[in-house]
Amino acid sequence: MLGLLGLGRRAGRVVIGARAVRTAARRGRLAAILVAGDAAENARRRLGSEARAVPCVTYGTRASLGRALGRAEVAVVGVLDRSLARQLVARCEAVGEGP
């Protein structure tokens, strides 16, 4: 799961942070959102109303998402690629961490 996320980042298919996710949603480029399980509730609120139409799953912790993406901690990740988004959402649902 986290390996797929890392590959997506290297391919430029993910955006990191609430502001980048909100921007991608406004532009219609967002396919899915991953939020760390230990993210503050405020992180979800900052995503904006545009992001509500996109599948949003909770997965891992800020530290584990950060490690997968080459950062210290990451609370919110936006997936731009539809195929990658389907795979990530399906894997989250398979481990019981879906929408």
Side-chain angles (χ1 to χ4, degrees):
M1 167 70 187
L2 294 175
L4 270 179
L5 201 54
L7 285 173
R9 179 184 178 275
R10 287 188 290 281
R13 304 295 186 196
V14 301
V15 293
I16 300 170
R19 180 178 292 153
V21 169
R22 192 172 51 243
T23 300
R26 283 187 189 137
R27 293 180 178 166
R29 298 179 57 214
L30 197 60
I33 302 168
L34 272 75
V35 179
D38 60 350
E41 184 59 36
N42 193 35
R44 286 184 188 266
R45 279 194 297 263
R46 281 184 274 159
L47 296 177
S49 59
E50 299 91 350
R52 292 189 182 135
V54 177
C56 183
V57 294
T58 302
Y59 185 83
T61 63
R62 292 177 302 177
S64 66
L65 289 179
R67 276 192 305 275
L69 297 166
R71 302 272 180 104
E73 290 187 347
V74 173
V76 180
V77 179
V79 183
L80 306 177
D81 183 80
R82 303 229 181 269
S83 175
L84 177 61
R86 276 192 302 271
Q87 290 178 46
L88 290 171
V89 170
R91 288 183 185 201
C92 286
E93 290 173 346
V95 296
E97 297 193 36

